[in-house]
Every structure is written in C-alpha cells, then in structure tokens.
C-alpha cells in the first residue's frame, strides 16, 4: 500500500475514533439530558353561575428549585369511562399556570354526577411532557350580604352535588393591590350555612366599592369553590384625598402657595428687569459720549 | 476712561497673569482636563448602562451626586451672600476679596446643578419638570430657585466686572490680543466713567446685592426643605432651613479663604491679600463655626434625647464606630473644633493655619453632607425582607467617584480660566477709594 494511502487511512480512522470517544458520547447524552423533566398539577375553581376554571401548573427543577414554566401549551380534556372530550387549550402564564374556563353544564358527567378532567403538556425541545387529572362533583357557594345599622356580615351557603355541605371551613377575602386580604372565616352548619362578620373600616375605591369573595379551599370532592361579589362596604378613598389637600397628587396647589410663588418670583425677576434696564441706560449713555 | 496710577500699578502687576497662558497653567489645564475626561468616560458608561453602574439602588436612591450637589451649591450660596454683605455694608477690607467671592459663587453654581442631572435616571426628561410642573413639589421649588439664583449670580458677577472690563479695554499697560480687547469692549457696555453711568451701575450693584442676600436664604432653605419636609429620620427637622443656610455660608467662606491663599501664593499678592484679610475671614469663620456647632449640637441632642424609634436607628449609625461613628466625629472636629481653635488663639491665627483649617473644614462639611444623605436612606421606614445587602448599604462606585473628581477638577479649571480673563483683584475698586 502506498504511503499516501496509509496516511489517508490513518486520518480516517482517527476521525472515526474521535467521533466515538466517551467525550462525544457524553455530549450527545447532555443534549438529551438538557430536556428537563416537568411536573404537572391540575386543580379546579368552581365559581358562581356554573363557571369552572381549570388550572394546570407546570414546573421544572431549575437551579435546585421548582419553578413555574411560562409559555407552554396545555391541552384540557373532560373524560368519562368511554370517551375523552377535548375542552380546549391554554398557555401557561409567567407563574407557569395555564387556565381554561368552562361551563359545568357543558361538561359530560357520569351517573353519580362526577366530573373528570385531564390536562396534558406534550413536551417540547427543552422540557419533557407531563399530565395530571382530577375528579370533582359540582358545587357552589351562595352569598347573601346582611347589612345592619352597626354591623355587616355575609351569609354563605355551601351546596355540593345538590346537597348542603356540613362542617367545612369557609374564608372571606377582599381583593387588594397585590394579594387578597383575608377578613374573616367560619364553619358551615348542618344546613351548609355560615354567618361571617365583615369589617366596617376597609378603604374601598373612589366610591367605596369592595371586591369580596368567599372560598372553600382545595376540597377533596369539590376542589376550590368560590363566590364573588362587589359591595359598597368600603370607605371611599376620595375622602382620604380630601383630608390631604396639600398632597402631591392633589390637582391644584393651595392658594397661599401659588400667591407666595408669584410674589417671590415677581420680586426677584423684577429686580433683574430693573438692572437690565439700567445696564441698557449705561450703554446708551456710553454711545452718546 | 481715566485710569489712575494705582490702577496702572495693579494692571502691571497682573499683566503677566492675564495676558497669556504660561507653561505652568497649561500643565494644570492638561492635568485637570485628564480628570474631566475620565469623568466623561464614566458618564458615557452611566448613559449606556444606566444607573446600575452607580451604587444607588431602590432604598438608597441618593448618593455622591446629591452630596456633591449640596456641597457645591452651598459653596456658591456662601460666596454670593458674603459678597452681598461685603458690598452692601461697604466693608473697607472687601476689595481684594470681592472678585474671588463672586467667582466662587458663579463657578460653584454652574457645577452644583450638573450633579442633579447626573442623579436623574432619565435626564433627557429633565424638561418634564417644567412642562409638567407641580407647584406643590419641593423638587420643583428647588429647580426654580436654583435657576433663578444662577441668573442672579451671573448678573452679580457681571455688574462687579463692568468697570474692570472698561479699564482692560482702555489700558495701555496690558498687552492684549485684538480679540481680547474686542471682548472687553463688548462686555464693558461703553462704560466711560461718567457720573450718570456710575450712578446707574451703583444702583444696580446695590439692588443685586440686596436681593442676593434674602434669595440665598430662601433658595438654601428650599434645598433643606427637600429633606426637612420628608418624614424620614434625620431629615424631618424644623431647624434644617437655618442649619443649611449657615452651613452654606460657612463652607463658602472657607472656600474663599482657600482660593485667597492659592492666589496670594501663586500670584504673589501679599500686598493685596494681607495677613489681616485672612484674620478677618478667620473671624467670620469663627462666628459661623460657633453657630454651626450650636445648630449641630441642638439637632443631634434633640434626636438622641427624644429616642424616637426611627431617629434612634439613624443616631445609632452615626454614633457607632463600626458604621459612621468615626466619620461623624471627624466631620465635627474638622468643621467645628479645629476652625474655632485656630482662629481663637492669636498664635495660631496665621494665613497658613487659617487656610489649613478652612481646607479641613471644607472636607468635614462634605462628609457632613454625606452623613445627612446616606445613613437616613439606609434606614428605611418599612422593614424589607430578603433584600439584597447592596440595596440597603450604599457604596459609591468608580463611576460616581470619577464624576465627583471631574466636578472638582472643573471647579479649579474654571477658576484658572477666569483668572486669565479678569484680574483676581477688582482694579476699579481701588480708584473708588482714591476718589
């Protein structure tokens, strides 16, 4: 075999061997391992008027911490023993939660009125797919405001699968700028009812409206159940503004401040104007000389 | 116009300094320009990267820039008010000091506000302060006050120079290039020394001196109210107005002493800036130092004795040697104790020691401004959980230091340039005395 062929063959063998070295095999493994495993968690929130929010949280372990993954597409299904109905799809928000709103009367149920849901993230180049499912009965919270002279309260009734639900903890909240503010809690009686006092001194919007909601948290049979209401039970914030007329956000400055500003500015700039006039006189007289 | 023998003698003395830039001046200008260039590079970094290149964060939103702003604008107020008083009361020994005082006021007033612009994250939106002005805002008051004051400082300086411009224009002693003569001709406003012109100028100078004194008190107070009207420990004080006014005059007087010493030494002005001038300025420093010391004691005694929760936190930082304790001590020793001791004892009352104490005083006053701004901001009213340490503890970066030194270099550079354009002693004042 000529020397040149031997050299060429040697090069070819070297390249093939290098291509199969543990380092390159490891690199291929890393490419596969870069696709991170995800965890899916499906939950539900039943609200007034037969509205049901399905919430799918998708997380992955990044830098040692489970972090919600934004921008992933999740498919939601309603399942029965015999079929699976596609409900729709939604993308995860910045917290990694995809939310789909459905009407409970449109969801197929089994003979015991049980609703079964499933949600699936198929996976992509970065993350492996994951799925989860839940089963819940229809439930609702009924809210009745009780406004008396010196006190306010909410009468709440919890109905699960058509029957009153006893001995469950219900909390009431008011929506604030960031997190909801918990303002009271109570336990349902045999009629599924609970009477919770409401504070009288919460600041509301400009007209004193508050966004109030009551919640049964993460129940094993019903999931989370909520009822929302807007009530004029707060202190109008506009009244707070009236107490602070000098505040930076008030539309006009106090009259005395405006007057003081005008007087001071006129006095100083008036002096300047007189001086400029006198300098003009100096120049004029110099020209005459 | 007629130029007296005394004035001719002064022009002969100053001729070499204002006729041309000598080699030494060029070396100073070159070195100062280098410092300014480093500052400009830092500024470009700040514009490109944003305020993240500074040590300022969410809690400590003010740092060296605001400290420098208060420092320079205070010096300016001090120069202006002293010049106003010296002129208005026709103080006999004022003549060699007036020019230095108004130059100090003018140059510091140019540099101080620049630090405000550096401190604003988006200074391209500075004009919003005017087009979306809110009269209720102390920040707006300060912007208007400083703008108005700057115009006053320029007019004051100019009025005190018009007669000199006419002398430079008509002097045969000075060997000036044509453009310099033309410049002086334009600036002299055809002043010929007639009785009517003298009267007009005299009234104008009295008017500006009269208005500068209350204006400095108001604008200096407005600056203090930015702090005083904020419900923050260490700031919310009723005496902050007079405290700032006094501190401004005090630091301004000290800088005038330093500039007097520099020019006396470099221009050999021992016949003009005599030991007595230093002693008189020393007496002013003594009186102001005593007043400033009294205000300082009163301010911290009430806060310390009151032991209000948030005030106590700031007091603890100022008194604790592991935090600002040493700086607080140095500031008070440098700016109160040493100037008083030096001037109080006759043996120590020499130009060199008075100047040295003035230099320490100025340094002490700069530290004091830092101690007003930073420890309070490092004491947030709301407890903050899991915040990063650099958000609570301020530490100035090289960008801020570079721009601070560039500000100082600009101050010196402008003084060198102005001393080449005008005599550092007011020539026309000497004729007035003779007449």
């Amino acid at each position: 075999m000529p020397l040149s062929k031997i050299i060429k063959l040697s090069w070819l063998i070297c390249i093939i061997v290098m291509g199969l070295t543990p380092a390159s095999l490891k690199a291929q493994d890393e490419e596969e391992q870069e696709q991170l495993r995800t965890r899916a968690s499906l939950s539900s929130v039943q609200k007034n008027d037969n509205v049901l929010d399905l919430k799918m949280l998708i997380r992955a372990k990044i830098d040692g911490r489970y972090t919600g993954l934004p921008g992933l597409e999740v498919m939601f299904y309603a399942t029965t023993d015999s079929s699976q109905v596609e409900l729709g799809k939604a993308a995860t928000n910045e917290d990694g939660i995809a939310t789909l709103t459905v009407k409970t009367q449109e969801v197929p149920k089994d003979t015991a009125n049980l609703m079964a849901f499933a949600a699936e993230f198929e996976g992509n180049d970065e993350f492996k797919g994951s799925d989860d499912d839940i089963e819940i009965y229809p439930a609702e919270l009924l809210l009745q405001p009780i406004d008396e002279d010196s006190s306010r309260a909410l009468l709440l009734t919890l109905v699960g699968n058509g029957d009153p639900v006893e001995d469950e903890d219900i909390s009431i909240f008011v929506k604030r700028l960031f997190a909801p503010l918990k303002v009271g809690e109570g336990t349902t009686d045999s009629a599924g009812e609970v009477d919770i006092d409401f504070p009288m001194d919460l600041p509301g919007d400009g007209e004193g409206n508050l966004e109030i909601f009551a919640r049964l948290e993460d129940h094993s049979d019903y999931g989370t159940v909520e009822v929302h209401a807007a009530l004029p039970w707060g202190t109008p914030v506009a009244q707070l503004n009236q107490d602070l007329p000098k505040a930076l956000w008030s539309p006009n400055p106090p009259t005395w401040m405006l007057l003081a500003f005008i007087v001071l500015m006129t006095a100083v700039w008036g002096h300047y104007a007189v001086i400029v006039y006198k300098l003009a006189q100096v120049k004029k007289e110099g020209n005459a000389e | 116009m007629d130029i007296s023998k005394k004035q001719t003698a002064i022009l002969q003395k100053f001729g070499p300094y204002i006729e041309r830039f000598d080699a030494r001046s060029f070396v100073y200008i070159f070195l100062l320009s280098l410092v300014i260039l480093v500052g400009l590079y830092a500024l470009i970094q700040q514009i490109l990267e944003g305020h993240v290149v500074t040590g300022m964060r969410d809690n400590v939103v003010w740092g060296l820039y605001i400290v420098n702003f208060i420092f320079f604008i205070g010096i300016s107020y001090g120069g202006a008010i002293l010049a106003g008083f010296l002129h208005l009361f026709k103080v006999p020994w004022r003549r060699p000091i007036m020019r230095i005082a108004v130059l100090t006021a003018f140059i510091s007033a140019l540099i101080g506000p620049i630090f405000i612009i550096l401190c604003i994250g988006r200074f391209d939106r500075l004009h919003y302060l005017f087009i979306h002005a809110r009269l209720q805002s102390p920040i707006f008051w300060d912007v208007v006050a400083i703008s108005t004051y700057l115009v006053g400082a320029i007019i004051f300086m100019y009025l005190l120079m018009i007669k000199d411009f006419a002398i430079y224009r008509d002097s045969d002693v000075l060997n000036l290039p044509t453009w310099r003569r033309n410049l002086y001709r334009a600036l002299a406003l055809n002043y010929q020394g007639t009785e009517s012109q003298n009267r007009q100028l005299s009234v104008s100078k009295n008017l500006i001196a009269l208005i500068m004194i209350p204006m400095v008190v108001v604008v200096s107070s407005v600056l203090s109210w930015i702090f005083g009207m904020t419900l923050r420990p260490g700031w919310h004080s009723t005496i902050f107005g007079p405290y700032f006014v006094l501190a401004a005059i005090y630091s301004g007087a000290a800088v005038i002493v330093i500039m007097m010493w520099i020019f006396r030494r470099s221009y050999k002005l021992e016949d003009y800036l005599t030991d007595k001038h230093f002693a008189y300025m020393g007496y002013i420093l003594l009186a102001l130092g005593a007043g400033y010391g009294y205000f300082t004691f009163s301010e911290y005694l009430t806060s310390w004795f009151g032991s209000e929760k948030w005030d106590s936190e700031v007091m603890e930082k100022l008194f604790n040697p592991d935090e600002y304790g040493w700086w607080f001590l140095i500031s008070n020793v440098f700016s109160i104790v040493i100037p008083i001791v030096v001037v109080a004892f006759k043996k120590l009352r020499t130009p060199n020691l008075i100047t040295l104490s003035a230099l320490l005083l100025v340094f002490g006053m700069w530290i004091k401004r830092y101690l007003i701004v930073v420890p309070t901001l490092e004491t947030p009213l709301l407890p903050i959980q899991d915040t990063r340490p650099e958000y609570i503890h301020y530490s100035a970066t090289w960008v801020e230091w570079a721009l601070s030194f560039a500000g100082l270099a600009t101050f010196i550079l402008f003084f060198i340039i102005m001393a080449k354009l005008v005599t550092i002693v007011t020539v026309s004042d000497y004729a007035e005395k003779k007449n």
Side-chain angles (χ1 to χ4, degrees):
Chain A
M1 189 183 286
L3 186 63
S4 61
K5 274 197 173 181
I6 293 171
I7 292 170
K8 279 182 185 174
L9 195 62
S10 305
W11 270 112
L12 192 65
I13 290 167
C14 280
I15 289 167
I16 291 169
V17 170
M18 282 171 72
L20 293 175
T21 55
S24 62
L25 289 172
K26 194 182 171 191
Q28 285 174 3
D29 282 352
E30 277 175 358
E31 271 176 28
E32 284 173 11
Q33 280 174 2
E34 273 179 10
Q35 208 184 21
L36 291 173
R37 205 174 282 172
T38 59
R39 276 192 178 184
S41 172
L42 182 62
S43 61
S44 68
V45 181
Q46 299 194 60
K47 297 180 177 173
N48 323 36
D49 303 325
N50 299 317
V51 171
L52 172 69
D53 282 350
L54 290 169
K55 291 177 183 287
M56 176 78 146
L57 167 64
I58 300 188
R59 297 181 298 166
K61 203 169 190 177
I62 297 171
D63 297 332
R65 291 176 61 181
Y66 275 102
T67 309
L69 305 173
L72 303 180
E73 197 170 86
V74 177
M75 188 63 79
F76 292 89
Y77 304 95
T79 56
T80 61
D81 292 340
S82 55
S83 65
Q84 188 176 53
V85 180
E86 200 174 289
L87 293 173
K89 59 187 173 185
T92 54
N93 63 13
E94 58 187 15
D95 296 322
I97 299 171
T99 305
L100 185 78
T101 303
V102 295
K103 287 277 187 184
T104 49
Q105 67 264 40
E106 293 169 5
V107 176
K109 304 174 184 73
D110 70 2
T111 49
N113 214 22
L114 187 69
M115 299 182 286
F117 299 99
E120 183 186 16
F121 161 58
E122 282 191 339
N124 58 21
D125 294 342
E126 286 180 84
F127 302 106
K128 288 182 177 175
S130 54
D131 56 58
D132 194 17
D133 54 74
I134 52 168
E135 290 181 339
I136 54 169
Y137 290 100
E140 64 178 335
L141 259 174
L142 304 173
L143 181 149
Q144 189 185 339
I146 302 167
D147 192 358
E148 293 173 351
D149 286 346
S150 57
S151 66
R152 286 173 181 150
L154 294 174
L155 177 63
L156 297 155
T157 310
L158 178 61
V159 181
N161 205 12
D163 298 321
V165 183
E166 189 184 358
D167 205 23
E168 295 296 344
D169 293 332
I170 311 286
S171 302
I172 55 173
F173 300 86
V174 173
K175 271 195 181 176
R176 301 277 89 172
L177 188 60
F178 298 110
L181 174 70
K182 189 175 179 178
V183 293
E185 61 183 336
T187 307
T188 54
D189 58 17
S190 56
E193 291 180 350
V194 57
D195 195 347
I196 305 173
D197 289 339
F198 192 88
M200 303 283 283
D201 54 355
L202 284 179
D205 63 8
E207 293 167 351
N209 290 319
L210 291 175
E211 282 190 53
I212 300 165
F213 64 95
R215 178 187 282 164
L216 168 70
E217 192 85 46
D218 206 15
H219 192 273
S220 56
D221 287 340
Y222 312 114
T224 297
V225 186
E226 284 182 0
V227 58
H228 290 244
L231 296 171
W233 282 5
T235 310
V237 174
Q239 286 181 4
L240 298 176
N241 271 345
Q242 284 169 10
D243 293 339
L244 292 167
K246 67 181 177 191
L248 283 177
W249 56 86
S250 58
N252 296 307
T255 311
W256 67 263
M257 191 182 282
L258 192 61
L259 283 175
F261 180 78
I262 291 169
V263 168
L264 283 172
M265 284 292 113
T266 309
V268 176
W269 286 94
H271 275 73
Y272 293 172
V274 170
I275 291 164
V276 169
Y277 171 75
K278 290 205 169 290
L279 289 179
Q281 292 290 102
V282 168
K283 187 167 188 184
K284 197 174 158 189
E285 282 166 23
N287 286 338
E289 281 284 314
Chain B
M1 65 178 277
D2 294 334
I3 301 170
S4 68
K5 283 183 180 174
K6 175 75 178 169
Q7 288 171 335
T8 305
I10 297 172
L11 289 176
Q12 281 170 336
K13 167 87 181 163
F14 279 91
Y17 301 120
I18 67 168
E19 282 168 356
R20 59 194 162 272
F21 281 84
D22 56 353
R24 196 170 60 169
S25 299
F26 274 117
V27 170
Y28 286 145
I29 290 171
F30 174 74
L31 293 174
L32 293 167
S33 300
L34 276 184
V35 178
I36 294 167
L37 277 176
V38 174
L40 284 174
Y41 174 71
L43 177 62
I44 291 168
Q45 289 294 311
Q46 183 175 309
I47 293 169
L48 293 177
E49 303 287 329
H51 269 203
V52 72
V53 298
T54 72
M56 295 182 285
R57 292 292 182 269
D58 281 16
N59 293 309
V60 187
V61 292
W62 287 345
L64 284 196
Y65 296 153
I66 293 294
V67 172
N68 293 332
F69 161 67
I70 304 169
F71 177 73
F72 277 108
I73 209 77
I75 289 169
S76 177
Y77 294 159
I81 203 165
L82 276 174
F85 273 118
L86 292 174
H87 174 82
L88 215 54
F89 293 106
K90 304 281 181 254
V91 178
W93 49 271
R94 75 182 188 282
R95 290 180 303 171
I97 296 173
M98 286 297 286
R99 177 72 34 93
I100 291 175
V102 290
L103 283 178
T104 302
F106 168 65
I107 295 170
S108 309
L110 288 180
I111 295 168
I114 291 172
F115 283 103
I116 286 283
I117 297 171
L118 297 178
C119 194
I120 297 171
R122 293 288 303 267
F123 56 71
D124 54 309
R125 294 179 182 172
L126 189 65
H127 60 288
Y128 282 18
L129 269 170
F130 296 95
I131 60 175
H132 302 296
R134 293 185 72 81
L135 193 58
Q136 305 93 306
S137 165
I139 299 282
F140 176 70
W141 305 349
D142 205 29
V143 170
V144 172
I146 288 170
S147 314
T148 304
Y149 166 78
L150 183 59
V151 173
I154 292 169
I155 293 174
F156 195 17
M157 181 185 69
Y158 180 55
L159 284 173
L160 293 177
M161 287 180 178
I162 288 178
K163 285 184 182 177
D164 272 22
F165 288 141
I167 291 171
Y168 307 151
R169 176 197 63 198
D170 297 338
S171 165
D172 297 329
V173 178
L174 294 176
N175 181 23
L176 296 170
T178 314
W179 72 268
R180 288 277 289 272
R181 292 231 184 249
N182 288 338
L183 178 68
Y184 294 137
R185 185 169 291 115
L187 292 170
L189 295 177
N190 289 334
Y191 178 80
Q192 301 296 339
T194 67
E195 198 177 319
S196 171
Q197 281 183 319
N198 269 334
R199 197 176 55 250
Q200 303 279 20
L201 261 186
S202 180
V203 171
S204 299
K205 284 195 277 189
N206 289 344
L207 271 179
I208 195 73
L210 195 67
I211 199 71
M212 284 305 272
I213 294 167
M215 186 158 67
V216 164
V217 172
V218 171
V219 294
S220 193
S221 302
V222 163
L223 174 61
S224 80
W225 292 336
I226 288 181
F227 298 93
M229 291 195 291
T230 313
L231 298 176
R232 300 290 300 250
W235 289 359
H236 190 56
S237 162
T238 53
I239 66 162
F240 249 39
Y243 194 21
F244 265 56
V245 172
L246 201 73
I249 304 171
Y250 193 31
S251 54
V255 170
I256 290 171
V257 169
I258 295 167
M259 300 316 292
M260 280 166 59
W261 186 87
I262 291 172
F263 282 111
R264 175 171 130 134
R265 198 173 171 83
S266 54
Y267 283 18
K268 299 183 175 52
L269 299 179
E270 286 80 3
D271 292 342
Y272 298 91
L273 294 163
T274 63
D275 289 3
K276 273 197 171 179
H277 287 101
F278 282 89
Y280 291 148
M281 286 303 291
Y283 296 146
I284 291 177
L285 289 181
L286 175 75
L288 292 168
Y292 174 75
Y294 164 68
F295 271 116
T296 304
F297 184 71
S298 174
E299 170 70 10
Y300 292 103
L301 176 75
T302 48
S303 287
W304 168 76
F305 195 83
S307 300
E308 197 271 327
K309 181 178 176 349
W310 299 115
D311 269 347
S312 298
E313 280 197 29
V314 176
M315 288 299 110
E316 167 62 23
K317 285 177 182 166
L318 292 178
F319 296 158
N320 185 353
D322 293 332
E323 294 207 51
Y324 294 104
W326 285 110
W327 289 115
F328 187 67
L329 185 68
I330 287 170
S331 162
N332 288 325
V333 170
F334 280 14
S335 60
I336 300 169
V337 180
I338 291 179
I340 289 175
V341 169
V342 165
V343 182
F345 294 99
K346 197 176 178 184
K347 281 195 172 178
L348 299 175
R349 206 183 303 142
T350 63
N352 286 347
L353 282 181
I354 290 173
T355 307
L356 180 64
S357 69
L359 197 65
L360 295 176
L361 186 165
V362 170
F363 180 58
M365 293 298 281
W366 188 90
I367 295 170
K368 172 68 181 172
R369 270 65 181 259
Y370 188 95
L371 294 177
I372 288 175
V373 174
V374 175
T376 289
L377 289 170
E378 288 184 345
T379 315
L381 291 174
L382 286 174
I384 300 165
Q385 293 172 341
D386 302 329
T387 192
R388 281 174 270 178
E390 67 266 27
Y391 277 42
I392 288 286
H393 300 292
Y394 172 73
S395 179
T397 62
W398 75 268
V399 170
E400 289 166 287
W401 284 114
L403 282 163
S404 300
F405 283 112
L408 183 62
T410 309
F411 178 83
I412 301 168
L413 182 65
F414 278 12
F415 238 108
I416 290 175
I417 292 170
M418 288 303 286
K420 292 290 167 193
L421 286 175
V422 292
T423 52
I424 216 69
V425 167
T426 313
V427 184
S428 53
D429 273 356
Y430 286 86
E432 279 171 5
K433 197 191 175 191
K434 187 184 173 190
N435 291 338

